[in-house]
């Protein structure tokens, strides 16, 4: 029987384990924290659970008066402007941890039920491939004891951990990274978020919705510098309108505690003060102390593992998946890389990873969902495509729900009208992007999208309307 050892139990690891076991291999998963990895225990599942509470708060605060909802409130008249709805952060975080742990247990049950074995410990490669084509994996348990596993193939799916600034080291109380925020019992009164990428923007928006006064520090000229510029502009405008202090083109040099407060010093000498600081300045791959390069596994300058499109590393029989590869820091991509690795090694039919069909979502309010080629690709000449953007303000369902911010944008090839990308900015954009993802993955045309029935009224109707406009322009030869 083919022996496979998987190092790391995140989405790349546990999805690979399920495939490997189903295809008849003897699979061992080595994990030190619990299956699900950071995605389930400290990242995606916890953060989106927290954001779910924040989303309810935002929806209520921003639209209950417009929708005609009357709230019975005994707040004295002179204080009537006070917030009607509050949040118990300790209770929210206990729910976050409970759901994350339950999800981890469910994953473990699925993996073991499929026939894979789970071993608790940390693992590293034992050296180059042997003459018989196998290699050793050394597992160190919590008590320091070592076990050697022999494998025909190894998948490395060890993920990453928060990057830290030497002069802004987290203490878990006032200066925090994104894995530590779930230990808070009380809502931060004044939160400084350093970093305006996806993680920083999501937490900044969430804590603002929960009631914190938030300052977001961005080293770039706008929030979400890696996202569609129109989408980022909408979100930044929403943040500012809701009272967030967004500081652009500023880099944090240090953060230190001063009593019960935190001082964040910027590179231009300005000093920001708050009750708490969240450092969201990227992640570092977990590739150290694994004997990788000594075993023939090539690393990039960033420390990520080099892989090809079927998840192979430079060392025979060693594959890698997930954040450790530096491809896309998405659970869906990690899972696909893990599955592809198993299909490839075990001789099943497999298609190489195609990043241009990957859909992603930023869980802010409004959400930002994207798939396929981007505005930057079009502007740089990487692809010749036509584009139409339709504001949600024109959508009847959006009007009914009091949705003012957002849009649908589609990109299609001139001549053929094949859909090659799209952006949705709206509540639940993560759900609305799916039909566009199907179109991109299956080379559907704007005509096919436009001719498909949609429910009236619905937010998805805007997708069909954008497709109709693109089809009309294609037919008339407009740019």
């Amino acid at each position: 029987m083919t022996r496979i050892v998987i190092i790391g139990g995140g989405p790349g690891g546990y999805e690979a384990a399920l495939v490997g076991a189903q295809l008849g291999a003897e699979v061992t998963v080595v994990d030190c924290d619990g299956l699900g990895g950071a995605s389930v225990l400290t990242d995606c599942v916890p953060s989106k659970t927290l954001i779910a509470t924040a989303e309810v708060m935002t929806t209520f605060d921003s639209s209950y008066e417009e929708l005609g909802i009357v709230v019975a409130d005994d707040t004295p008249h002179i204080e009537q402007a006070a917030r009607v709805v509050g949040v118990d952060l300790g209770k929210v975080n206990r729910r976050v941890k409970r759901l994350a742990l339950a999800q981890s247990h469910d994953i473990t049950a699925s993996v073991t039920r499929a026939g894979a074995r789970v071993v608790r410990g940390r693992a590293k490669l034992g050296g180059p491939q042997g003459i018989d084509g196998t290699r050793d994996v050394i597992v160190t348990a919590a008590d320091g004891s070592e076990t050697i596993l022999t494998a025909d193939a190894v998948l490395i799916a060890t993920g990453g951990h928060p990057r830290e600034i030497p002069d802004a080291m987290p203490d878990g109380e006032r200066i925090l990274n994104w894995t530590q925020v779930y230990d808070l019992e009380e809502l931060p009164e004044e939160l400084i978020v350093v970093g305006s990428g996806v993680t920083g923007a999501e937490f900044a928006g969430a804590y603002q919705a929960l009631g914190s006064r938030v300052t977001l520090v961005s080293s770039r000229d706008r929030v979400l510098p890696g996202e569609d510029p129109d989408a980022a502009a909408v979100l930044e405008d929403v943040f500012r309108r809701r009272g967030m202090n967004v500081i652009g083109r500023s880099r944090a040099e240090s953060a230190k505690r001063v009593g019960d407060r935190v001082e964040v010093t910027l590179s231009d000498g300005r000093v920001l003060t708050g009750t708490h600081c969240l450092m969201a300045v990227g992640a570092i791959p977990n590739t150290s102390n694994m004997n990788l390069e000594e075993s023939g596994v090539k690393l990039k300058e960033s420390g990520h593992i080099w892989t090809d499109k079927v998840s192979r590393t430079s060392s025979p029989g060693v594959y890698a998946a997930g954040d450790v590869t530096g491809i896309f820091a998405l659970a869906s991509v990690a899972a696909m890389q893990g599955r592809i690795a198993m299909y490839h090694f075990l001789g099943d039919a497999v298609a190489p990873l195609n990043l241009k069909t990957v859909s992603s979502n930023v869980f802010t309010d409004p959400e930002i969902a994207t798939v396929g080629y981007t505005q930057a690709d079009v502007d740089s000449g990487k692809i010749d495509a036509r584009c139409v953007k339709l504001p949600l303000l024109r959508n009847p369902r959006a009007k009914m729900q009091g949705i003012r911010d957002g849009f649908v944008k589609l990109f299609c090839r001139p001549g053929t009208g094949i859909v090659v990308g799209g952006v949705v900015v709206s509540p639940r954009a993560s759900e609305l992007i799916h039909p566009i993802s199907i179109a991109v993955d299956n080379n559907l045309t704007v005509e096919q999208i436009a001719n498909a029935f949609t429910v009236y009224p619905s937010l998805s109707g805007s997708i069909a309307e954008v497709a109709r406009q693109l089809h009309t322009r294609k037919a008339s030869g407009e740019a």
Side-chain angles (χ1 to χ4, degrees):
M1 183 178 288
T2 303
R3 296 161 296 182
I4 295 172
V5 173
I6 298 170
I7 305 175
Y14 72 74
E15 286 287 346
L18 291 171
V19 170
Q22 289 162 2
L23 292 179
E26 179 185 291
V27 179
T28 301
V29 181
V30 183
D31 184 79
C32 58
D33 298 317
L35 294 198
S39 176
V40 169
L41 297 171
T42 60
D43 195 352
C44 289
V45 170
S47 65
K48 278 49 176 181
T49 305
L50 177 75
I51 288 167
T53 300
E55 185 180 71
V56 173
M57 300 281 286
T58 301
T59 302
F60 184 83
D61 275 356
S62 63
S63 62
Y64 77 95
E65 289 184 351
E66 180 179 340
L67 298 180
I69 297 172
V70 177
V71 179
D73 184 22
D74 59 1
T75 304
H77 181 69
I78 196 171
E79 300 174 8
Q80 202 63 49
R83 192 184 187 97
V84 175
V85 180
V87 66
D88 181 339
L89 188 65
K91 187 173 183 180
V92 171
N93 281 338
R94 286 190 290 275
R95 177 175 182 265
V96 166
K97 293 179 180 179
R98 186 170 65 250
L99 289 178
L101 194 60
Q103 181 68 9
S104 177
H105 288 163
D106 286 347
I107 292 168
T108 302
S110 295
V111 168
T112 54
R113 191 163 52 244
R117 179 171 64 123
V118 178
V119 174
R120 183 60 66 93
R122 296 185 180 276
K124 63 181 180 181
L125 299 182
Q129 188 180 48
I131 57 174
D132 61 351
T134 66
R135 66 175 69 236
D136 291 339
V137 176
I138 303 170
V139 180
T140 304
D143 61 6
S145 61
E146 290 188 349
T147 304
I148 296 179
L149 304 175
T150 301
D152 298 296
V154 176
L155 174 70
I156 302 168
T158 46
H161 61 277
R163 179 174 169 265
E164 295 174 342
I165 297 175
D167 292 329
M169 298 298 289
D171 60 12
E173 295 178 357
R174 297 283 173 176
I175 303 174
L176 310 158
N177 62 40
W178 69 76
T179 70
Q180 298 169 328
V181 295
Y182 310 109
D183 293 325
L184 292 174
E185 284 294 320
E186 294 183 357
L187 187 69
E189 186 178 339
E190 302 166 276
L191 177 65
I192 301 169
V193 178
V194 177
S196 64
V198 173
T199 300
E202 287 184 346
F203 277 113
Y207 278 103
Q208 182 188 44
L210 294 175
S212 297
R213 292 196 297 276
V214 176
T215 296
L216 178 60
V217 179
S218 173
S219 63
R220 309 288 284 276
D221 58 355
R222 61 179 171 86
V223 300
L224 296 174
E227 297 296 321
D228 180 89
D230 292 333
V234 169
L235 185 65
E236 185 166 335
D237 179 61
V238 170
F239 277 175
R240 292 183 189 277
R241 279 204 330 259
R242 291 175 181 167
M244 187 182 299
N245 180 22
V246 181
I247 301 177
R249 299 181 181 178
S250 299
R251 190 176 297 276
E253 295 285 344
S254 66
K256 65 178 181 179
R257 287 187 62 167
V258 181
D260 288 337
R261 297 186 66 77
V262 178
E263 289 186 354
V264 176
T265 302
L266 305 182
S267 55
D268 60 10
R270 284 181 293 171
V271 177
L272 307 176
T273 64
T275 59
H276 296 76
C277 175
L278 171 62
M279 303 300 297
V281 290
I284 295 174
N286 294 326
T287 52
S288 61
N289 303 316
M290 292 188 65
N291 205 30
L292 296 179
E293 292 183 296
E294 295 83 352
S295 301
V297 177
K298 179 182 176 182
L299 299 182
K300 302 175 186 177
E301 214 172 290
S302 60
H304 293 95
I305 298 174
W306 177 89
T307 56
D308 64 12
K309 291 187 177 182
V310 290
S311 303
R312 289 179 297 191
T313 72
S314 56
S315 184
V318 179
Y319 294 75
D323 291 4
V324 77
T325 67
I327 302 295
F328 269 174
L330 298 171
S332 58
V333 172
M336 183 62 74
Q337 287 177 299
R339 289 191 291 263
I340 286 174
M342 293 300 100
Y343 292 139
H344 183 269
F345 183 76
L346 295 172
D348 209 32
V350 62
L353 183 66
N354 180 6
L355 296 179
K356 283 307 174 187
T357 63
V358 174
S359 57
S360 63
N361 194 72
V362 183
F363 288 86
T364 46
D365 182 27
E367 294 181 1
I368 299 172
T370 56
V371 65
Y373 285 94
T374 65
Q375 187 71 58
D377 293 330
V378 175
D379 293 344
S380 66
K382 185 175 181 179
I383 187 171
D384 183 15
R386 289 178 176 154
C387 168
V388 164
K389 183 179 75 171
L390 184 67
L392 283 183
L393 274 173
R394 302 183 191 177
N395 182 288
R397 186 66 184 275
K399 293 174 183 176
M400 296 171 193
Q401 294 181 296
I403 299 170
R404 302 180 183 87
D405 303 294
F407 61 81
V408 174
K409 179 192 285 189
L410 284 183
F411 302 96
C412 78
R413 296 284 283 162
T416 64
I418 291 174
V419 178
V420 294
V423 182
V424 178
V425 181
S426 81
R428 297 288 194 274
S430 50
E431 312 295 342
L432 290 172
I433 198 67
H434 189 231
I436 304 177
S437 297
I438 293 173
V440 171
D441 195 37
N442 291 278
N443 296 317
L444 301 183
T445 67
V446 289
E447 182 180 10
Q448 290 172 304
I449 301 296
N451 288 338
F453 277 98
T454 58
V455 172
Y456 182 87
S458 67
L459 294 182
S460 60
S462 287
I463 298 174
E465 177 60 27
V466 172
R468 278 190 287 273
Q469 291 190 21
L470 271 172
H471 176 55
T472 301
R473 293 189 183 192
K474 179 181 76 71
S476 64
E478 292 182 36

